[in-house]
């Protein structure tokens, strides 16, 4: 049985998630050319690395384990970041019962605009309401306090730390492993988490959302 992860276009009021393609490279190169202070523990390409980054994501997608997206600001039409569905888990009958949301980053100017909240709303909603998963996972470097706070802010619950469990993306740690902080939302929690995310997006819209992003 050939089980592959495939993510469709997902559109909200602030952001549209489009399957990641090389046509997004110029916009993403511009997105990562600014302040990179928030990227310390995250895999974020430099402007010169964006094309190779997209090729690497396509290689992961070819295994059936990744569905990568470009995050497009609806206010400007510009690509402002990337995110993905990742690491699907299938039942013996071929039903998807769990998936991770990861490989997420945003241009510094897009952070705090509501785009991340709505991107998570779109991804979680598709996973729970279209695919019918039992859980969505999120993980980050255990040292990344900023990322951990952002994950908790979208409603995910901290489950623990897996020691030396995955590749480190921190500068100077090539070839080393990191401790990963694991978070999740389960299906029973989703209605409450959805309402909270929708409220966050509404607040962002009232503030003007991403009109300058």
């Amino acid at each position: 049985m050939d089980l592959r992860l495939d993510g469709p276009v997902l559109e909200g009021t602030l952001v549209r998630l489009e399957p990641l393609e090389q046509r997004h490279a110029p916009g993403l190169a511009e997105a990562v050319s600014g302040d990179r202070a928030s990227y310390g523990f995250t895999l974020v390409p430099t402007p010169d690395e964006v094309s190779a980054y997209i090729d690497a994501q396509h290689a992961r997608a070819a295994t059936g384990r990744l569905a990568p997206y470009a995050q497009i600001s609806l206010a400007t039409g510009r690509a402002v970041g990337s995110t993905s569905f990742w690491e699907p888990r299938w039942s013996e009958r071929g039903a998807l019962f769990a998936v991770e949301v990861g490989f997420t980053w945003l241009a510094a100017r897009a952070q705090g605009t509501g785009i991340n909240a709505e991107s998570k709303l779109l991804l979680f909603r598709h996973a729970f309401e279209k695919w019918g998963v039992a859980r969505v996972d999120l993980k980050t470097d255990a040292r990344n306090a900023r990322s951990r706070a952002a994950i908790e802010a979208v409603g995910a619950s901290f489950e623990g730390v897996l020691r030396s469990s995955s590749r480190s993306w921190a500068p100077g740690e090539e070839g080393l492993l990191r401790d990963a902080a694991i978070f999740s939302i389960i299906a029973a929690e989703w209605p409450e988490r959805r309402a909270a995310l929708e409220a966050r997006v509404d607040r962002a819209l009232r503030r003007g959302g991403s009109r300058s992003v």
Side-chain angles (χ1 to χ4, degrees):
M1 185 181 299
D2 183 21
L3 301 176
R4 305 181 62 81
L5 197 59
D6 184 26
V9 173
L10 302 172
E11 184 164 333
T13 53
L14 296 172
V15 64
R16 181 173 60 252
L17 302 182
E18 299 178 351
L20 181 66
E21 302 290 348
Q22 283 293 345
R23 65 186 175 87
H24 297 118
L28 292 177
E30 179 185 357
V32 296
S33 64
D35 182 6
R36 297 179 62 88
S38 64
Y39 299 155
F41 297 100
T42 306
L43 175 61
V44 181
T46 64
D48 291 341
E49 295 169 340
V50 166
S51 182
Y53 173 85
I54 294 173
D55 285 343
Q57 293 296 73
H58 284 180
R60 293 183 179 99
T63 69
R65 298 171 55 222
L66 181 78
Y69 285 103
Q71 300 187 74
I72 310 298
S73 166
L74 288 177
T76 65
R78 296 189 295 188
V80 293
S82 186
T83 191
S84 297
F85 285 120
W86 172 233
E87 294 287 19
R89 273 90 76 206
W90 309 91
S91 71
E92 292 182 356
R93 296 185 177 182
L96 184 65
F97 69 85
V99 71
E100 183 178 330
V101 169
F103 287 102
T104 300
W105 54 268
L106 278 172
R109 66 176 183 271
Q111 296 172 19
T113 64
I115 283 179
N116 180 61
E118 189 171 53
S119 290
K120 294 300 192 297
L121 173 62
L122 295 171
L123 293 165
F124 296 164
R125 187 170 64 195
H126 188 79
F128 286 116
E129 299 178 17
K130 299 298 183 182
W131 287 338
V133 300
R135 63 178 280 141
V136 172
D137 299 334
L138 302 98
K139 68 173 183 281
T140 189
D141 192 305
R143 299 167 293 180
N144 193 342
R146 183 189 184 106
S147 179
R148 291 176 67 156
I151 291 171
E152 290 180 335
V154 298
S157 297
F158 176 61
E159 294 189 335
V161 173
L162 298 181
R163 297 177 298 169
S164 298
S165 64
S166 56
R167 177 180 175 181
S168 174
W169 301 111
E173 294 187 358
E174 292 77 8
L176 300 180
L177 297 175
R178 69 179 188 180
D179 294 349
I182 308 299
F183 299 79
S184 72
I185 298 174
I186 62 173
E189 299 168 337
W190 172 236
E192 180 181 354
R193 302 300 192 269
R194 174 175 174 166
L197 280 170
E198 289 172 341
R200 284 189 62 189
V201 173
D202 285 344
R203 288 195 296 272
L205 286 168
R206 289 197 297 271
R207 294 195 306 266
S210 58
R211 60 191 174 197
S212 63
V213 176

